[in-house]
Amino acid sequence: SLDGLRVCSAKKQRDRGNDNVQIKQQPVSYWNFGWVLIMIVVTSVVQIPLNFMAHGTTLQRGLWAAGYLVGFAVAIALGAWIFQRVHPVHWQRLTREDWQLMVKGYVFIIVTEIILNVVNNVFFGETSTKNNTLIADIMGHSTLTLVMLSLTAVLASPFLEELTFRGILVGGCFPAKMFWVPVIASGVIFSLVHQSDNIISWLVYALMGGTFAYIYRKTDKLQTTIILHGFNNLIAVAAMIATLR
């Protein structure tokens, strides 16, 4: 019918328009790697106050702690602003399929981490990654550093790191049709910023970051990896605290 032809014609025009928009946006999106670099620097800078919380007067330590929390708040706000700039999205509720994928992803992370930790112990004599060892050492400096680092590891770092390594990197630096390249890139870069002293420890974080990126790419919902990352850190922090006590 005439109406049908008009609908088909309009749809084709919209498709051509969308294709043209994608073609124009794809070359520009690679400039977003600059935002990723900025956020990587920011994620490192916000950790600086931890080095000063165990020393000085009560007032000084309190001010460093306050600065630490404010720094995270500012960094997360900056990350959220950049994310919406490079990859505008509307909030979507999680579905049963999303939760199932998150559970599968977490099981994969735990199983691979157990296997790699055994390999790490056999070949390098290490029972934990260098990054986790450093975190446990900082936690042991004082009660204040223990509390602050525990809180941010569970409630702040997942937001900051997922905005950086999944939202801005995966969502903003690669075309939507590209899947495995951004997933692998996210895992590699995520692992590079976590201090590792051997290839096995590096693989632990690469596979973790890659899994987060896989889930994010499958769902296009950043809250999936924020929740999963936070839960993973919660279990890790609880295990560290149990060891310290």
Side-chain angles (χ1 to χ4, degrees):
S1 66
L2 183 59
D3 290 340
L5 289 174
R6 287 174 179 169
V7 171
C8 291
S9 177
K11 184 177 184 301
K12 288 180 180 179
Q13 289 178 354
R14 286 198 306 269
D15 291 342
R16 290 195 194 100
N18 291 338
D19 290 341
N20 290 336
V21 170
Q22 289 177 357
I23 290 172
K24 290 179 181 179
Q25 286 181 345
Q26 285 178 11
V28 177
S29 67
Y30 291 102
W31 289 100
N32 293 333
F33 280 107
W35 288 120
V36 176
L37 292 175
I38 290 173
M39 288 305 300
I40 288 175
V41 173
V42 170
T43 57
S44 299
V45 171
V46 295
Q47 301 292 346
I48 292 177
L50 282 172
N51 299 319
F52 301 94
M53 285 185 207
H55 310 287
T57 64
T58 301
L59 176 60
Q60 289 172 333
R61 287 183 278 122
L63 289 175
W64 280 115
Y68 181 61
L69 296 178
V70 170
F72 261 102
V74 172
I76 291 172
L78 175 63
W81 177 80
I82 295 172
F83 176 50
Q84 285 299 317
R85 180 184 177 90
V86 303
H87 187 64
V89 292
H90 296 289
W91 181 266
Q92 302 179 65
R93 294 179 61 183
L94 297 182
T95 64
R96 171 189 274 184
E97 290 74 19
D98 295 332
W99 285 103
Q100 290 175 342
L101 184 60
M102 291 162 64
V103 171
K104 292 177 182 177
Y106 182 70
V107 171
F108 176 77
I109 289 172
I110 293 301
V111 171
T112 55
E113 188 171 340
I114 291 173
I115 294 173
L116 289 174
N117 281 337
V118 171
V119 175
N120 196 20
N121 188 24
V122 171
F123 288 95
F124 298 99
E126 297 181 357
T127 58
S128 179
T129 64
K130 181 181 179 182
N131 187 74
N132 282 351
T133 301
L134 289 172
I135 292 174
D137 181 61
I138 294 174
M139 283 182 168
H141 286 173
S142 70
T143 301
L144 183 59
T145 56
L146 173 64
V147 172
M148 288 294 103
L149 188 52
S150 298
L151 286 175
T152 55
V154 177
L155 301 176
S157 290
F159 283 90
L160 185 56
E161 294 185 359
E162 292 310 308
L163 282 166
T164 302
F165 300 106
R166 257 60 70 181
I168 301 172
L169 176 59
V170 175
C173 295
F174 296 93
K177 294 181 179 179
M178 195 176 289
F179 188 85
W180 286 110
V181 171
V183 167
I184 294 172
S186 178
V188 169
I189 297 175
F190 180 74
S191 186
L192 288 176
V193 301
H194 288 78
Q195 299 185 40
S196 299
D197 55 358
N198 62 62
I199 186 62
I200 304 301
S201 293
W202 184 86
L203 279 174
V204 169
Y205 292 103
L207 289 174
M208 183 186 298
T211 302
F212 291 152
Y214 177 90
I215 294 172
Y216 172 60
R217 207 54 158 170
K218 280 286 187 180
T219 63
D220 198 31
K221 300 172 185 175
L222 195 61
Q223 66 266 40
T224 57
T225 55
I226 291 174
I227 293 171
L228 184 57
H229 197 155
F231 181 75
N232 181 75
N233 284 6
L234 174 64
I235 301 302
V237 167
M240 289 181 189
I241 294 176
T243 302
L244 290 174
R245 296 302 179 183

